[in-house]
């Protein structure tokens, strides 16, 4: 039997409709602005997010880096969460490539930043300090239980940013999951962002690609940054075609992934040695913490693998499971059973 792969929603394969659209895509050289399929995807992304324009990029990491390089110059500072993907998992690219200084404030368990802490982190105009330019938020928040940031919080953050003349970037890799969980259109979550990035290649199942959305001037400048990073792609319509199908057909089913994640969390929370609050699971990401006496997370991962379930160790006593297209309710039941076997065998 094939293993149940809950390592990430990035393992999703393109749907048959995506493969057909890729095969049939009308193409051109997108660096010359001549790929009509890329153009259609960018227009669709702009429309869905309520922004003037959008830019297609190879990855979420590049989408974030391009956004930061477009907002900030060398010696500028960005305020972001200490658990932010941009801070944690992107090699410090904005510092490495752009000379942009990161200033972290602690993420709260629900993925938000305490806005008073953000206010205190904003630098006064003084030659000793970098210049604060940007606040970066993450929605849903990957390392904070996949929590969605609601519109009311985003509006408060935007009001704070406006007080100090700062911009807001939202890393919305899973913004469609946030919209689904909150029951609001993506446009509402994008409204308070000067730039928003999102991924096609996660829960939306496209093989490759991310978008950055913003106003026309921002996207024109972002296009230059994409080019210098080597992200100008030629007949990229072959990928954009899958992205269009992703946006048209794959967002409405995300509720299924959220229900599966909730069921997984409920099933696991009953097992000995596992600490997990199912109420904290609002989207498709489940973090599982182990009691002090349990074997190391990497060992549990190996044992689960032998039982046909793949997950990621995200700490010495923590693993992550992510639900996605292709994972059924039956798979969730099998995954819970595998955990049961492994936790029992580990004697706790
Ligand atoms: C996956 C992810 C990214 C980066 O996307 P890649 O396409 O893997 O580079 C950025 N931010 C968040 C929150 C993510 O989960």
């Amino acid at each position: 039997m094939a293993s149940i792969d809950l390592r990430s929603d990035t393992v999703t394969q393109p749907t048959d409709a995506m493969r057909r659209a890729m095969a049939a895509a009308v193409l051109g050289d997108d660096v010359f602005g001549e790929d009509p399929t890329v153009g259609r995807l960018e227009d669709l992304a702009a429309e869905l997010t309520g922004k003037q324009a959008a830019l297609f990029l190879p990855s979420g990491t590049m989408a974030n880096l391009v956004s930061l390089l477009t907002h900030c110059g060398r010696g500028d500072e960005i305020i972001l969460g200490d658990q932010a993907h941009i801070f944690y998992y992107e090699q410090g690219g904005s510092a490495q490539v752009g000379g942009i200084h990161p200033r972290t404030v602690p993420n709260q368990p629900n993925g938000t930043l305490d806005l008073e802490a953000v206010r205190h982190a904003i630098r006064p105009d003084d030659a000793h300090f970098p210049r604060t330019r940007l606040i970066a938020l993450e929605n849903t928040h990957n390392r904070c239980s996949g929590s969605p940031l609601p519109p009311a919080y985003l509006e408060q953050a935007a009001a704070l940013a406006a007080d100090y003349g700062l911009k807001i970037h939202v890393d919305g890799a899973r913004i469609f999951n946030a919209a689904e969980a909150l029951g609001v259109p993506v446009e509402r979550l994008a409204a308070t962002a000067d730039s928003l990035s999102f991924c096609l290649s996660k829960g939306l199942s496209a093989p490759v690609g991310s978008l950055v959305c913003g106003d026309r001037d921002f996207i024109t400048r972002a296009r230059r940054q994409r080019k210098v990073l080597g992200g100008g792609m030629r007949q990229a319509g072959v990928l954009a075609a899958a992205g269009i199908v992703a946006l048209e057909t794959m967002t409405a089913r995300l509720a299924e992934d959220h229900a599966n994640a909730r069921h997984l969390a409920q099933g696991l929370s009953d097992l000995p040695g596992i600490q997990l609050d199912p109420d904290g699971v609002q989207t498709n990401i489940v973090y599982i913490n182990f009691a002090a006496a349990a074997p190391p997370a990497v060992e549990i991962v190996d044992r689960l693998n032998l039982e046909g379930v793949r997950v990621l160790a995200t700490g010495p006593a923590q693993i992550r499971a992510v639900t996605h297209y292709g994972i059924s309710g039956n798979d969730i039941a099998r995954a819970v059973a595998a955990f049961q076997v492994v936790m029992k065998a580990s004697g706790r």
Side-chain angles (χ1 to χ4, degrees):
M1 214 182 274
S3 66
I4 299 166
D5 196 342
L6 302 174
R7 287 173 302 166
S8 176
D9 45 10
T10 56
V11 303
T12 43
Q13 298 274 324
T15 63
D16 289 343
M18 286 179 195
R19 290 179 185 274
R20 284 195 298 273
M22 293 172 81
V26 181
L27 305 174
D29 186 329
D30 185 54
V31 176
F32 292 151
E34 291 173 4
D35 191 303
T37 309
V38 172
R40 273 210 294 140
L41 172 64
E42 291 176 344
D43 289 349
L44 179 57
E47 188 190 317
L48 285 170
T49 56
K51 297 297 183 197
Q52 289 176 351
L55 182 67
F56 184 48
L57 298 110
S59 70
T61 299
M62 195 190 282
N64 284 332
L65 180 55
V66 158
S67 298
L68 269 49
L69 292 172
T70 306
H71 283 298
C72 304
R74 304 188 71 81
D76 287 347
E77 188 169 69
I78 163 186
I79 298 175
L80 78 178
D82 62 351
Q83 301 300 310
H85 194 283
I86 291 174
F87 182 68
Y88 216 95
Y89 290 126
E90 299 181 14
Q91 262 193 46
S94 61
Q96 190 179 155
V97 178
I100 302 164
H101 193 250
R103 176 84 180 272
T104 58
V105 301
N107 272 111
Q108 301 181 104
N110 67 359
T112 61
L113 305 176
D114 175 68
L115 294 178
E116 276 315 297
V118 172
R119 188 187 298 277
H120 286 301
I122 297 169
R123 309 277 194 167
D125 183 10
D126 181 317
H128 292 85
F129 300 139
R131 292 170 298 255
T132 309
R133 287 278 190 234
L134 183 72
I135 299 170
L137 302 172
E138 188 173 317
N139 200 5
T140 64
H141 202 292
N142 187 332
R143 286 182 57 84
C144 296
S145 307
S147 301
L149 307 189
Y153 174 77
L154 298 172
E155 282 154 20
Q156 287 164 15
L160 174 65
D163 280 350
Y164 292 87
L166 308 179
K167 303 287 189 191
I168 291 191
H169 173 69
V170 171
D171 174 356
R174 296 185 180 83
I175 197 74
F176 288 91
N177 296 84
E180 171 57 43
L182 296 164
V184 299
V186 161
E187 187 174 353
R188 177 106 191 268
L189 302 176
T192 45
D194 296 287
S195 57
L196 168 79
S197 59
F198 70 81
C199 290
L200 297 167
S201 57
K202 294 189 169 165
L204 303 185
S205 284
V208 176
S210 285
L211 285 119
V212 171
C213 307
D215 69 27
R216 213 160 273 119
D217 171 64
F218 180 85
I219 294 301
T220 300
R221 291 184 294 120
R223 199 174 289 279
R224 275 189 71 80
Q225 298 295 343
R226 182 186 69 174
K227 190 73 177 81
V228 76
L229 297 177
M233 300 180 287
R234 302 297 176 171
Q235 283 74 40
V238 76
L239 299 172
I244 293 167
V245 176
L247 290 176
E248 287 178 345
T249 70
M250 300 301 283
T251 60
R253 57 157 305 286
L254 292 172
E256 193 180 321
D257 298 340
H258 298 178
N260 280 336
R262 181 56 90 95
H263 289 146
L264 178 66
Q266 281 160 348
L268 297 182
S269 65
D270 290 338
L271 300 183
I274 285 181
Q275 291 155 356
L276 198 172
D277 175 12
D279 290 337
V281 176
Q282 294 178 68
T283 61
N284 66 331
I285 300 179
V286 181
Y287 282 95
I288 301 141
N289 293 297
F290 299 103
V298 285
E299 209 176 301
I300 295 178
V301 167
D302 287 343
R303 293 191 202 176
L304 283 167
N305 200 2
L306 296 175
E307 298 295 325
V309 174
R310 306 190 71 184
V311 291
L312 273 187
T314 45
Q318 185 189 65
I319 64 177
R320 188 188 79 168
V322 183
T323 58
H324 51 79
Y325 178 65
I327 296 295
S328 66
N330 190 39
D331 292 331
I332 297 299
R334 277 178 54 207
V336 172
F339 270 92
Q340 210 156 12
V341 169
V342 168
M343 295 314 289
K344 203 177 212 171
S346 64
R348 282 157 272 254

